[in-house]
Amino acid sequence: MVAPGPVLALVLPLILCADRSAGIGFRFASYIDNYMVLQKEPAGAVIWGFGTPGATVTVTLCQGQETIMKKVTSVKAHSDTWMVVLDPMKPGGPFEVMAQQTLGRTNFTLRVHDVLFGDVWLCSGQSNMQMTVLQIFNATKELSNTAAYQSVRILSVSLVQAEQELEDLVAVDLQWSKPTSENLGHGYFKYMSAVCWLFGRYLYDTLQYPIGLISSSWGGTPIEAWSSGRSLKACGVHKQGTIPYDSVTGPSEHSVLWNAMIHPLHNMTLKGVVWYQGESNTNYNTDLYNCTFPALIEDWRQTFHRGSQGQTERFFPFGFVQLSSTLSKDTSDDGFPQIRWHQTADFGYVPNLKMPNTFMAVAMDLCDKDSPFGSIHPRDKKTVAYRLHLGARAVAYGEKSVTFQGPLPETIELLADKGWLSLSYDQQIQVQKQDDKIFEISCCSDHQCKWLPAPMNTFSTQTLTLLISSCHGTVVALRYAWTTWPCEYKQCPLYHPDSTLPAPPFVAFITDQVPGH
């Protein structure tokens, strides 16, 4: 994705100024356009835009010759904006949305057509969210698979930063569109986001009604750029720290992407958000991520709820991808596992008390050492999206029978006489291979502790024993998959037997019994 060129950047303000000086200045918000998806029932979709202060605006929803509803409002003097909330609509379409501004005897009319009602998801993050369908495995096949998905509509936000919160988007790279091979695979790291598209496609397969997907991502960016000043302050992030440019290659100034690429969307009624970010925090404010990430979620939820006049759920579903793997020599071996852990607010699983109504796709086993875009950009985005959509089905859509996360130990018991640790899991486990190094124990003696391998030993449907004879002191903690590259592609040792979901990484004190407690 690229920001508008210098010519457009100069011309656009001149056009807007000319419109306003002529007393017109009447338009929809930038992302309200033909082919859009509006949020379906039980919420009401928000339609808003700009106009002449004091004018009356009438918004009409039509289907063919039939008027479905009309809403009347006026343009606010202090902001030159108008807004209506439509009555909740069942999924489907197409509809036409018409807005008419009346001031004295002067009328101006705007129309957008082929509008659908369904679920609207916002996708954000850094380059692994930005990677397009052109860049993934089986790209040709995926790019051509659009005929059955013409009710999955896509929009991609331009790369823009701002020092203050903007009310509307400065530019859009891809306005609302039906999917085509051209707009799904428009260059590298441009549009459309592969994770976003495939997630929406899986949802459509399940739900069979329209899905709207908005991609707003920028590669090489830390979470601080996507966070409001409020949420950063809540985590004690007050000043711009020294930024390591090996991991942060995009904008890093606090809040600049929140201001320009997220806040302008906050009046929109959403179903939920999916997020793929964290690589740029593996050696920048890493220790704060267990605060900054939950704080970002809480702040986005609050802001979108208020901006949509209460139509977006206060605790809307928020899904995310736990970091995959990389072979980079610049990354300390602790940065990736730390961020993976902090992505769960140090619980090891979601949803949890600090992160309600969230869901996670574990991706540490989807590594790609031969990726032409670098191993930090694995090409298997289809499995990522599949795992994400399982979480959405369970958390966002309330499907009780869907398994959406891999097994975690419920209890950890020290059997010192046998030289074992015994782990009891919360689900059935499938031991795909025996691994001597992926489990590690913290062994302490003489006031010093070090991590030692704890080889996998015996196992049953929900239990696993580990050998701890290498420790001649006291075993105080256990961790699993605590490296940047824990296993080869889909070859971690532990999975859920039915869903092929990997057991997530964890660290636990032995006395605590349960990861994260």
Side-chain angles (χ1 to χ4, degrees):
M1 288 186 270
V2 289
V7 175
L8 176 59
L10 288 170
V11 170
L12 190 61
L14 294 176
I15 293 172
L16 294 179
C17 289
D19 278 354
R20 289 182 186 270
S21 64
I24 304 171
F26 180 52
R27 64 177 179 90
F28 285 119
S30 60
Y31 54 80
I32 294 177
D33 210 336
N34 303 327
Y35 307 113
M36 69 179 171
V37 176
L38 294 173
Q39 182 57 42
K40 71 168 189 67
E41 64 181 7
V46 173
I47 302 291
W48 73 281
F50 297 86
T52 306
T56 298
V57 176
T58 304
V59 176
T60 307
L61 182 70
C62 305
Q63 190 166 39
Q65 300 301 310
E66 181 187 359
T67 297
I68 308 298
M69 73 180 82
K70 282 193 177 188
K71 299 288 178 180
V72 181
T73 189
S74 56
V75 180
K76 296 177 187 173
H78 68 280
S79 62
D80 295 358
T81 61
W82 53 269
M83 179 184 289
V84 300
V85 178
L86 300 181
D87 298 336
M89 293 287 294
K90 292 186 183 302
F95 297 90
E96 180 180 77
V97 177
M98 181 173 70
Q100 184 176 61
Q101 175 178 277
T102 305
L103 186 62
R105 296 184 178 182
T106 310
N107 290 335
F108 294 99
T109 302
L110 306 169
R111 285 185 174 86
V112 292
H113 63 81
D114 201 347
V115 174
L116 304 178
F117 284 86
D119 281 341
V120 182
W121 286 84
L122 170 61
C123 307
S124 188
Q126 54 182 112
S127 54
N128 271 306
M129 182 61 88
Q130 206 179 4
M131 279 179 77
T132 70
V133 183
L134 185 66
Q135 296 175 263
I136 64 173
F137 285 137
N138 302 314
T140 303
K141 179 184 173 186
E142 302 299 349
L143 287 169
S144 64
N145 187 13
T146 59
Y149 299 103
Q150 293 301 293
S151 292
V152 181
R153 306 290 173 81
I154 56 177
L155 179 150
S156 192
V157 175
S158 296
L159 305 188
V160 179
Q161 25 183 338
E163 294 299 317
Q164 303 294 328
E165 290 180 346
L166 305 183
E167 289 307 307
D168 197 13
L169 296 171
V170 171
V172 172
D173 272 359
L174 177 69
Q175 192 48 272
W176 281 112
S177 304
K178 296 180 180 181
T180 66
S181 59
E182 290 76 23
N183 61 31
L184 288 177
H186 189 85
Y188 294 163
F189 301 106
K190 292 189 176 179
Y191 57 84
M192 174 67 178
S193 161
V195 169
C196 192
W197 163 249
L198 294 168
F199 170 75
R201 208 176 73 184
Y202 279 123
L203 283 186
Y204 181 82
D205 287 341
T206 300
L207 301 169
Q208 291 294 302
Y209 60 69
I211 301 291
L213 301 170
I214 301 157
S215 176
S216 186
S217 312
W218 195 328
T221 52
I223 196 170
E224 290 78 7
W226 298 101
S227 305
S228 73
R230 295 177 301 279
S231 62
L232 292 175
K233 188 176 179 181
C235 293
V237 185
H238 298 295
K239 295 180 180 176
Q240 198 78 25
T242 303
I243 303 197
Y245 285 97
D246 54 341
S247 63
V248 181
T249 56
S252 59
E253 288 192 28
H254 293 178
S255 308
V256 291
L257 303 184
W258 159 260
N259 291 339
M261 295 177 67
I262 302 298
H263 187 269
L265 302 168
H266 79 289
N267 293 340
M268 179 184 292
T269 311
L270 290 180
K271 174 65 177 179
V273 168
V274 286
W275 170 261
Y276 195 158
Q277 189 278 335
E279 296 91 345
S280 287
N281 286 96
T282 54
N283 55 4
Y284 175 60
N285 284 347
T286 308
D287 293 344
L288 295 175
Y289 204 90
N290 57 0
C291 181
T292 51
F293 184 39
L296 175 143
I297 296 172
E298 166 61 17
D299 188 63
W300 284 28
R301 284 172 166 169
Q302 208 172 81
T303 305
F304 275 86
H305 179 69
R306 287 177 181 164
S308 65
Q309 310 301 301
Q311 297 304 307
T312 297
E313 283 182 26
R314 173 64 181 83
F315 295 98
F316 63 73
F318 195 110
F320 62 94
V321 182
Q322 195 179 47
L323 290 192
S324 187
S325 305
T326 182
L327 289 174
S328 171
K329 294 172 184 173
D330 300 327
T331 308
S332 75
D333 205 40
D334 209 39
F336 267 64
Q338 286 284 359
I339 290 292
R340 290 187 193 118
W341 183 243
H342 291 338
Q343 285 178 298
T344 68
D346 299 355
F347 280 77
Y349 57 87
V350 296
N352 60 51
L353 291 173
K354 289 187 179 178
M355 299 174 67
N357 216 29
T358 57
F359 55 95
M360 172 176 77
V362 176
M364 65 180 182
D365 67 330
L366 302 179
C367 47
D368 184 2
K369 64 180 64 171
D370 299 319
S371 171
F373 313 104
S375 63
I376 202 167
H377 298 123
R379 289 166 290 176
D380 184 358
K381 295 298 191 265
K382 195 169 184 178
T383 305
V384 170
Y386 178 75
R387 291 174 181 176
L388 262 183
H389 111 282
L390 292 177
R393 285 169 59 186
V395 173
Y397 296 99
E399 282 194 50
K400 302 296 184 191
S401 60
V402 174
T403 300
F404 67 102
Q405 48 193 1
L408 267 171
E410 279 185 316
T411 61
I412 301 170
E413 187 180 359
L414 179 62
L415 304 173
D417 56 327
K418 294 184 177 180
W420 291 357
L421 273 183
S422 178
L423 282 60
S424 295
Y425 279 82
D426 60 350
Q427 305 174 49
Q428 288 190 6
I429 58 172
Q430 176 179 307
V431 177
Q432 189 155 287
K433 56 181 265 193
Q434 295 276 68
D435 192 304
D436 290 343
K437 295 180 180 177
I438 200 163
F439 282 97
E440 296 172 293
I441 49 173
S442 179
C443 179
C444 300
S445 61
D446 298 329
H447 306 290
Q448 288 189 326
C449 301
K450 60 181 177 180
W451 290 100
L452 300 173
M456 294 168 62
N457 188 25
T458 61
F459 59 88
S460 64
T461 53
Q462 281 187 240
T463 63
L464 172 69
T465 63
L466 306 175
L467 298 175
I468 57 170
S469 54
S470 60
C471 179
H472 301 294
T474 305
V475 177
V476 298
L478 172 70
R479 65 188 189 185
Y480 172 73
W482 206 264
T483 62
T484 303
W485 189 287
C487 47
E488 295 306 312
Y489 180 74
K490 292 189 177 180
Q491 288 296 314
C492 280
L494 295 176
Y495 286 82
H496 184 277
D498 301 330
S499 62
T500 64
L501 294 175
F506 71 83
V507 61
F509 288 105
I510 301 302
T511 52
D512 286 350
Q513 303 291 301
V514 183
H517 285 231

